[in-house]
Amino acid sequence: MVVSAVNSETNNQTPISETVKNTKETFDPHTTKWSDVNLFKFGALIAVSSTLENAVFYPLFVIKTREQSDRRNLTLLQSFRYHIRSSLTKSSSGTKASPLYRGFWFSNIASLPAYGLYLGVYISTRDQLNAATNMSTRFYAPFIAGALADAVSILFYVPSDVIVQRLQVANSPYKSSLDAIRKIYVNEGIKGYYRGLGATFIVSALASSIWWMAYENVKLFLYRPSILPYITWSKSSDEKAGHVHRLPQFAAGFVAGTITSACINPLDVVKTRIQTQNINTLGTTSSTTLYNNMFHGLKCLWREEGMHGLLRGVLPKLMSRGPLSAISALVFELVLYYSRDDLNSS
């Protein structure tokens, strides 16, 4: 720009046109940076998309929570069948709401601020780490960014997570979200809303890190020029320049969700039980052992229930997390894409 400033007026026009041309050429429809996002559009699209996603998959989250909080030594299929049947029966809590959607609206509304903060921290951190020239740093950038995003947002989403999971368990003593909020405060104080904070952070941070590292790197692999034509049914990766290919994002999301669910499930079982263990959910048939922390919980879980305990709730989790992650990844990319300020100029 300094050199062009001392040239003639005619020569000045060339760099400007080249700059515009280069801007258009560098527009990447498959990757959106945080600096390109319009926050108002981003917030509105996140609110709508997360509500629709939760409406579809929330019943499976309820079944997963009920399985994981059940301390009877049932096999995977026995536990899954029992909680499917019990969840489909009429609620015995005195509320007209379906047992499979208990706490849905509270969960959806309360989690939105934390979810928006989480995504903002993740994307901005990922972009900064990806600017590094070190390839090793770029490979692990999603892992680091995912952990940091979870650490920043955890204090915002743990209270809603505790309340919702207590509403979801079988034979919950709470009639509604407001009833749960009131009784938890009366019986346990403010700390009741943060029960299992350490366990939640371990599970969520690890799950977030694994998911994002798997997703970003699988997506990068599928977008390779040598791979892309085989999954988009095009003759070459250069066909229809500028065309947006969404299938790699969908596939990468499915792979990331499946891997994460399988790796994290034992820790998730312990976290769920720590958050719900001070309420009587299954009467005299449940274990009376209280978990002190994540490591103590894993030890007790293995001693009392063995492998069945470690895999408790894994079937509904795999049934939901793979498809949900695929859809979430696609929705995430679409929300970012349509939140771009430079979209119309592309």
Side-chain angles (χ1 to χ4, degrees):
M1 295 300 296
V2 175
V3 175
S4 62
V6 297
N7 288 335
S8 64
E9 182 178 351
T10 304
N11 291 337
N12 278 340
Q13 296 175 358
T14 303
I16 295 175
S17 61
E18 287 179 352
T19 301
V20 174
K21 182 178 179 181
N22 289 337
T23 300
K24 292 184 178 181
E25 288 177 351
T26 57
F27 178 86
D28 185 0
H30 302 128
T31 302
T32 301
K33 294 183 178 180
W34 187 242
S35 57
D36 299 328
V37 173
N38 181 298
L39 294 181
F40 178 78
K41 291 193 291 184
F42 177 75
L45 290 172
I46 281 293
V48 174
S49 61
S50 63
T51 300
L52 294 176
E53 286 181 45
N54 289 337
V56 174
F57 290 98
Y58 194 82
L60 288 172
F61 298 158
V62 173
I63 296 172
K64 184 269 297 182
T65 298
R66 292 188 171 195
E67 278 202 65
Q68 291 181 340
S69 62
D70 186 348
R71 299 196 182 191
R72 294 173 297 178
N73 195 11
L74 303 175
T75 66
L76 288 178
L77 290 178
Q78 285 175 335
S79 177
F80 184 65
R81 286 197 297 263
Y82 172 81
H83 287 287
I84 282 285
R85 286 196 303 268
S86 64
S87 297
L88 291 176
T89 59
K90 190 174 181 179
S91 175
S92 60
S93 62
T95 178
K96 295 181 180 179
S98 168
L100 292 175
Y101 281 93
R102 291 207 73 204
F104 169 75
W105 284 112
F106 176 81
S107 171
N108 192 66
I109 295 172
S111 64
L112 280 177
Y115 187 45
L117 175 64
Y118 169 84
L119 289 179
V121 173
Y122 169 75
I123 299 168
S124 59
T125 305
R126 179 203 63 185
D127 291 345
Q128 293 180 31
L129 292 174
N130 280 340
T133 56
N134 190 315
M135 292 304 297
S136 178
T137 301
R138 297 183 66 177
F139 179 82
Y140 291 107
F143 187 93
I144 299 171
L148 180 60
D150 202 81
V152 171
S153 60
I154 187 170
L155 293 179
F156 294 90
Y157 70 75
V158 167
S160 64
D161 192 39
V162 170
I163 293 167
V164 169
Q165 291 208 327
R166 294 193 184 190
L167 286 168
Q168 291 175 341
V169 295
N171 303 321
S172 172
Y174 307 115
K175 296 180 179 180
S176 65
S177 302
L178 291 177
D179 185 49
I181 293 172
R182 183 181 63 83
K183 288 182 177 177
I184 291 173
Y185 180 75
V186 170
N187 297 326
E188 305 170 55
I190 294 295
K191 67 179 182 180
Y193 299 123
Y194 289 93
R195 182 169 294 278
L197 177 63
T200 302
F201 176 70
I202 293 173
V203 174
S204 299
L206 195 55
S208 175
S209 299
I210 294 174
W211 194 92
W212 282 114
M213 188 170 74
Y215 173 70
E216 297 285 9
N217 285 289
V218 170
K219 183 180 73 170
L220 186 64
F221 172 78
L222 294 178
Y223 274 127
R224 286 184 176 180
S226 59
I227 302 296
L228 186 60
Y230 293 99
I231 58 176
T232 56
W233 297 284
S234 59
K235 295 180 180 179
S236 71
S237 60
D238 296 327
E239 184 178 325
K240 297 182 180 179
H243 182 69
V244 182
H245 298 291
R246 297 297 179 190
L247 186 57
Q249 297 168 351
F250 186 86
F254 185 90
V255 172
T258 303
I259 292 174
T260 305
S261 296
C263 294
I264 297 301
N265 194 75
L267 301 178
D268 196 31
V269 173
V270 175
K271 184 212 74 163
T272 299
R273 292 186 178 183
I274 290 176
Q275 290 181 332
T276 62
Q277 66 184 356
N278 65 324
I279 61 175
N280 183 18
T281 59
L282 288 169
T284 58
T285 60
S286 62
S287 169
T288 57
T289 304
L290 296 180
Y291 298 166
N292 297 325
N293 50 53
M294 176 64 72
F295 303 105
H296 178 251
L298 285 171
K299 181 181 177 180
C300 293
L301 181 62
W302 174 256
R303 185 179 65 246
E304 295 177 356
E305 302 172 52
M307 187 58 68
H308 291 311
L310 296 177
L311 297 178
R312 184 78 67 214
V314 73
L315 291 181
K317 198 170 186 180
L318 288 176
M319 289 172 60
S320 62
R321 291 301 179 182
L324 175 61
S325 289
I327 294 172
S328 296
L330 184 59
V331 170
F332 165 73
E333 297 287 358
L334 288 172
V335 165
L336 282 182
Y337 180 76
Y338 287 106
S339 298
R340 296 177 73 142
D341 276 326
D342 60 346
L343 183 59
N344 294 329
S345 63
S346 61

